[in-house]
Amino acid sequence: MNWPSWPCSQLVPSVLIVGGQVKTEQEARIDELRKQIREHDRRYYNDAAPTISDREYDRLLDELKQLEAKNTHYITPDSPTQRVGGEPLDGFRKVEHAYPMLSIDNTYNREDLKKWIERCQEALGDPIDQDGTLPGGYLAEPKIDGVAINLRYEQGLLALATTRGDGSQGDDVTQNVRTIRSIPLRLQNSENTSIPEVVEIRGEIFMPNFEFERINESFSAAGQEGFANPRNATAGTLKLLDSETVAQRKLQFLAHGRGEVLGYESATQSEFLSALGSWGIPTNPLTKPCQGIHEIWELIQEFDTHRSNLTYGVDGVVIKVDPLDLQERLGTTSRFP
C-alpha cells in the first residue's frame, strides 16, 4: 500500500502520552494554559513585574474557557476559570478556627515601644541592654487597613477561607475569596520548600485606593451612597452573597502570618514568609528585619513618611519577634499575641 506523504509540519498529534497518562491535544493545551496563567498571576501580584499586557492575559484566559467548555470532564476546582462560583449563597456558615485569630496590641509612642521590648526580654529571661536587643531580632511591616483572613490549604489546594470574626470562629467566605486573583487556588511547587499537608496562611484582604475611588464614583453616578473608606468597602464586598459581584471589585491580599501548619517547619517568621513566596503567596515587600529600639523607631518613622505613596490604607506598623520559638515562649494574653 502506498501511504500518502505530508510535510512534517502538518504531523500534529491529537493524543499525547504524559507521565503514562493519555491526554488529548486539547487537554495538554489546557494544562499549558493553566500553567501560564498561574505564572502570570504570580508575576503580577507577587513580583509586581508583569510580562504581558492585560489584553494578552485575557486572551489566554478566554482560550482556556473555550477549551474547558469543550472538555468539561477536564475542568478542575483549581483552574483559573473556576474562581467565580455558581449560584449566590443564602448566607455564611460559622467556622471554628484551629488556632485563635487574636487582635494586635497597640502602642502609640517610643516609650510604649520600649516598655513592650522590655516585657519581651523579661519574659524570655534575657538581659535587657540599653538598645533593647533581642536574640533573633524583630520584623517590621505596615499594618494594612483591611480585613483579616485565614486561608487554609490542604494538600496544596485552597480548602477554606474564613474571616477573623470574634477570634474563635469566623465566617466561611471561601466562594468570595476564590475570586481574588492574588490568592492562588493551588500552591506552587517549590524546589527548596515542599508544600505542607496543611498550612493556614493569615493576612489582610484589602481594596486598593484606586478601586475604592472607582466603586464610589459608580455609586455616586447611580445616585447611591458609597462606602466610607476602603476597609468598609472590603468588608462589605466580602459579605456579598454573589461572588460574581465580588469578582468585579479588585480586592487584593498580602500574607503576614500563620495558623495551623502540618508537614512543614520554619525557625523564624521571616523564613515562613520566604516559603510563602516560593509557594506563590504574596507577602508585603516592605517587611523588614530590625534589631533594637533605635532601628525599630527609625523604620516606623520611615514608614510614616512614605505611607501616602502606598496604594492601600495603612494604620500603623506591626512589630513582631522573628524567631518562632521565642514567639511560643512569649505566648499571648487573653486577646493579644
Side-chain angles (χ1 to χ4, degrees), residues 187-202:
L187 298 180
Q188 296 178 358
N189 290 316
S190 169
E191 294 181 0
N192 301 322
T193 309
S194 60
I195 294 176
E197 177 185 348
V198 172
V199 57
E200 290 188 343
I201 300 166
R202 292 178 174 177

Side-chain angles (χ1 to χ4, degrees), residues 57-71:
Y57 180 93
D58 290 341
R59 190 179 298 122
L60 292 175
L61 191 60
D62 287 342
E63 182 184 353
L64 178 58
K65 289 178 180 178
Q66 292 172 16
L67 286 174
E68 287 186 343
K70 298 176 182 177
N71 299 270

Side-chain angles (χ1 to χ4, degrees), residues 89-110:
L89 299 173
D90 294 326
F92 298 99
R93 69 184 181 101
K94 296 292 183 181
V95 177
E96 198 82 16
H97 296 307
Y99 291 94
M101 295 183 69
L102 302 176
S103 300
I104 299 176
D105 207 353
N106 295 318
T107 61
Y108 298 98
N109 53 56
R110 181 169 177 147

Side-chain angles (χ1 to χ4, degrees), residues 273-293:
L273 294 179
S274 177
L276 292 183
S278 70
W279 297 330
I281 297 290
T283 58
N284 199 319
L286 297 179
T287 301
K288 294 183 179 181
C290 47
Q291 183 60 272
I293 188 169

Side-chain angles (χ1 to χ4, degrees), residues 44-45 144-145 180 182 205-215 229-231 233-234 249-253 310-313:
Y44 185 91
Y45 293 107
I144 297 175
D145 192 16
I180 302 173
S182 53
I205 292 177
F206 60 95
M207 181 176 289
N209 295 333
F210 61 83
E211 180 66 6
F212 169 70
E213 293 170 0
R214 184 192 70 80
I215 290 174
N229 53 59
R231 188 188 186 284
T234 302
R249 301 179 181 179
K250 309 300 183 182
L251 296 180
Q252 294 188 19
F253 169 79
L310 298 175
T311 60
Y312 48 83

Side-chain angles (χ1 to χ4, degrees), residues 39-40 43-44 49-53 56:
E39 177 62 17
H40 288 306
R43 292 177 181 176
Y44 185 91
T51 54
I52 63 172
S53 66
E56 291 172 314

